[in-house]
Amino acid sequence: MQPHPTLDQLQVFLTVVEKGSFSAASRALNRTQSVVSYTIANLEAQLRVALFSRSGTRRPELTDAGRSVVEDARRLLGDLDLMRARVQALSDGLEAELNVAMSSIVPSDVVVEVLRAFRNHYPTVSLKVTAGTPVIVMDEVIHGRAVVGFGGTMAVKNDQIVFERIGQTAMVPVAAPDHLLATLRRPLTLADVRDETQLVVFDASGTAKGRDFNVFSLKTWRVSDNATKHLFILGGLGWGGLPASVVKDDLAAGRLVRLQFSAFDQGELPIHAVRNVANPPGPAARWLTATFQARLSGGVGSREPSEEDVEPGLMEADS
């Protein structure tokens, strides 16, 4: 017959362990010492092992079996507490799972910092993150697969899509130190870059078909995301623009060189939270958005983006 210890028995057992004696546990649990002793005896009978060594000592000491059971009991009761918190959160309207989409335009150190805080603030909420280009972020939000997206913006003919500016960055043209453009060590002209391979993130969805931006070379290699583009530029396979937050450490360490190319638009690039009014955010999603905004220190309120706000990365462009 399999043992069937009760949660109450395990709780009493852990209280004895934590308080150090049966009498202290009885006071903490507001039960008589005889009831505590009887509960432990029944638990030992269920498990068919002695949990405490009671002979030759004034205080009950755990046996080897008892020490093993302690960890299992803590894990089981911890899972129960988590379930209770999850059920309570659901009854309060908190999401059980939060789906978000994230572009590499958001600084990675900020992402890690905010998500660590999110885990601590909402330990019962499961998180699903889709990472990709700004077009992928937009697509996830439009089709309801993500409650909120963080990245750039694009002009969309959809009255249900809302953009809230929460920060800004910039695109900077870079190359590996041994790349020809980096070795020139002077301001670059259009003639300098014309015949050098430029790495460009393409729009697989076709949304930005025919809208090139910051593309100057006659020869381009087109990749699906900034992570691949970053890797290729580090490897000397070409030059291109990347978010300042992505290349900050590489520039400081000398792994990449910032090109002196004034024709490349290096102006402010807005970071937005994107949501669909048909898929309203719950408490966790609202908290996450507000925390990103506070960390990035750039919110200016919700509004539809103008053409000037459209992120180059949403075009078939060098971003």
Side-chain angles (χ1 to χ4, degrees):
M1 180 178 177
Q2 292 293 322
H4 295 285
T6 67
L7 294 172
D8 181 68
Q9 289 172 338
L10 294 176
Q11 183 63 68
V12 171
F13 168 60
L14 287 181
T15 305
V16 173
V17 172
E18 291 166 0
K19 298 301 180 181
S21 71
F22 284 61
S23 58
S26 69
R27 290 191 294 272
L29 296 169
N30 196 27
R31 303 183 188 183
T32 65
Q33 185 170 335
S34 61
V35 169
V36 171
S37 299
Y38 179 75
T39 302
I40 296 299
N42 279 341
L43 177 60
E44 291 176 320
Q46 281 281 340
L47 298 177
R48 301 188 184 93
V49 295
L51 300 175
F52 294 103
S53 175
R54 299 172 177 83
S55 61
T57 176
R58 296 181 60 184
R59 297 171 65 87
E61 293 186 359
L62 286 169
T63 61
D64 290 341
R67 280 188 286 271
S68 177
V69 172
V70 164
E71 298 306 317
D72 292 333
R74 284 175 175 158
R75 185 183 69 254
L76 288 170
L77 292 176
D79 289 343
L80 178 62
D81 288 341
L82 183 61
M83 185 193 74
R84 287 170 175 160
R86 200 185 303 275
V87 170
Q88 181 62 46
L90 289 172
S91 68
D92 293 341
L94 184 64
E95 305 94 322
E97 181 179 73
L98 178 59
N99 294 344
V100 302
M102 194 82 62
S103 166
S104 62
I105 190 176
V106 185
S108 57
D109 57 336
V110 173
V111 172
V112 171
E113 178 184 333
V114 171
L115 293 187
R116 182 181 292 114
F118 178 86
R119 181 187 62 188
N120 294 335
H121 198 78
Y122 292 109
T124 67
V125 178
S126 297
L127 188 67
K128 178 182 177 183
V129 179
T130 299
T133 64
V135 170
I136 290 175
V137 170
M138 186 69 62
D139 190 64
E140 291 291 301
V141 173
I142 287 175
H143 291 94
R145 292 187 294 270
V147 174
V148 63
F150 300 98
T153 60
M154 64 184 299
V156 293
K157 297 180 179 179
N158 190 329
D159 293 337
Q160 291 186 313
I161 302 304
V162 176
F163 301 87
E164 179 181 4
R165 183 163 173 167
I166 59 174
Q168 60 280 321
T169 185
M171 298 297 293
V172 295
V174 293
D178 57 354
H179 189 279
L180 175 62
L181 295 180
T183 62
L184 293 177
R185 301 181 185 282
R186 59 170 172 79
L188 302 177
T189 66
L190 291 173
D192 291 325
V193 305
R194 182 183 58 187
D195 297 321
E196 296 298 323
T197 300
Q198 182 175 358
L199 291 161
V200 178
V201 173
F202 70 87
D203 170 22
S205 72
T207 302
K209 185 177 181 180
R211 300 178 67 188
D212 276 349
F213 186 90
N214 266 347
V215 178
F216 299 94
S217 297
L218 298 179
K219 182 191 295 185
T220 59
W221 282 15
R222 298 179 185 264
V223 297
S224 63
D225 55 78
N226 271 329
T228 303
K229 181 179 179 181
H230 184 202
L231 178 66
F232 285 7
I233 293 177
L234 282 169
L237 298 178
W239 73 279
L242 285 168
S245 59
V246 171
V247 298
K248 177 180 62 176
D249 292 341
D250 294 314
L251 294 174
R255 293 185 294 267
L256 289 177
V257 173
R258 183 167 184 164
L259 302 176
Q260 302 176 60
F261 188 28
S262 59
F264 191 99
D265 186 354
Q266 301 175 52
E268 181 182 283
L269 192 62
I271 301 174
H272 285 80
V274 189
R275 60 182 177 85
N276 191 329
V277 296
N279 191 17
R286 294 195 298 270
W287 184 94
L288 189 65
T289 301
T291 304
F292 267 118
Q293 184 171 27
R295 181 62 180 80
L296 293 167
S297 302
V300 295
S302 300
R303 60 182 177 84
E304 292 290 336
S306 65
E307 280 293 324
E308 289 76 22
D309 286 337
V310 176
E311 179 186 343
L314 295 170
M315 306 173 186
E316 190 150 320
D318 184 16
S319 62

